[in-house]
Structures are given as C-alpha cells and as structure tokens.
Amino acid sequence: MHTGSADELREKERRSQEIGQKIAALLNEAAVIAPGAVSANVTGLGFSIRGTGGGFRADTR
C-alpha cells in the first residue's frame, strides 16, 4: 500500500514507465542478436511488456 502523497505516486509511476521503456528497448536489442529466442511477460507499477521477437513495447496502464 502506498502511503506517500499523490505527487510522490505520480513520480514513481513515471519512473516505472521509463524503466519499462528501457527494458523493452533491451529486449528488442537482444531479439536482434538472437532472433526468435527472446520472449517476455513483464509487469511493473506503470507498465506492461509482452511480446516475442522484436515486438517488445512498454504499454502504460
């Protein structure tokens, strides 16, 4: 349970979304190196990543 202010929660969500975008970019890079060998299902505070191959994207919730 989050006990901070609304601004603190928004900042944590923003940072989480940035991390999700970075993870998706790294997964896409790995898929270029090893096509067909990379798959993921990752969720975080403000993002969800699903995909295989080079189609990884961090979708915000």
Side-chain angles (χ1 to χ4, degrees):
M1 185 164 122
H2 180 72
T3 58
S5 71
D7 286 340
E8 289 173 329
L9 181 57
R10 278 191 292 276
E11 177 62 17
K12 285 182 180 186
E13 288 175 346
R14 184 193 63 75
R15 287 177 43 215
S16 180
Q17 290 171 1
E18 286 178 1
I19 290 168
Q21 291 168 352
K22 290 176 184 179
I23 292 169
L26 290 170
L27 289 168
N28 283 323
E29 285 184 39
V32 169
I33 295 167
V38 180
S39 66
N41 184 4
V42 181
T43 58
L45 176 62
F47 68 90
S48 176
I49 299 172
R50 289 189 177 84
T52 58
F56 297 102
R57 201 179 106 203
D59 296 318
T60 58
R61 296 190 217 179

